[in-house]
Amino acid sequence: LRALDAREWRGGEWGEPVFGLDYLLGDVMQGKKALNWDAFEAAQDETPLKVVASGLKREGSVVLSYKDGNFADVGELAEAMKASMLLPGVAGPPVRISKGSNILYEG
């Protein structure tokens, strides 16, 4: 018995996501209700945000953070958050984050 890659049960293609995260993480977080990046950075010493995602190559969890250099602006934070919410093949293809000390996907 072996685990199936999400592409196998989707016929080999990633296809269109069942639902999109782009509106929430793009239009809202970076536009309509934009995150105050300066306030976010200031809070990282006292209350650091740790984003946990599944690493496809590592087959385990990966912790992404500002301190480890995984995101340095609101766009990169949105990508990290997308990676943590994503079910590849259901909500879209894998997110590649190869910045900082904790690498989510190497390819």
Side-chain angles (χ1 to χ4, degrees):
L1 206 59
R2 68 178 179 81
L4 288 177
D5 182 291
R7 289 174 288 195
E8 290 180 272
W9 57 265
R10 295 274 316 229
E13 297 293 325
W14 287 111
E16 291 296 315
V18 175
F19 60 91
L21 298 170
D22 293 333
Y23 175 74
L24 175 63
L25 298 173
D27 295 351
V28 175
M29 185 174 150
Q30 297 177 59
K32 295 176 182 179
K33 288 284 199 176
L35 175 71
N36 181 336
W37 187 254
D38 293 333
F40 174 82
E41 282 183 305
Q44 291 310 291
D45 287 332
E46 187 174 324
T47 313
L49 174 66
K50 305 285 185 175
V51 179
V52 180
S54 296
L56 291 177
K57 294 275 186 179
R58 295 180 185 192
E59 297 180 354
S61 62
V62 177
V63 179
L64 306 169
S65 71
Y66 176 81
K67 181 181 177 184
D68 290 334
N70 299 117
F71 41 86
D73 60 38
V74 70
E76 291 176 357
L77 173 59
E79 284 298 302
M81 293 175 70
K82 183 176 182 179
S84 77
M85 294 182 233
L86 199 61
L87 298 172
V90 176
V95 174
R96 289 170 169 76
I97 297 177
S98 58
K99 183 177 178 183
S101 61
N102 297 322
I103 298 174
L104 180 64
Y105 182 88
E106 299 173 284

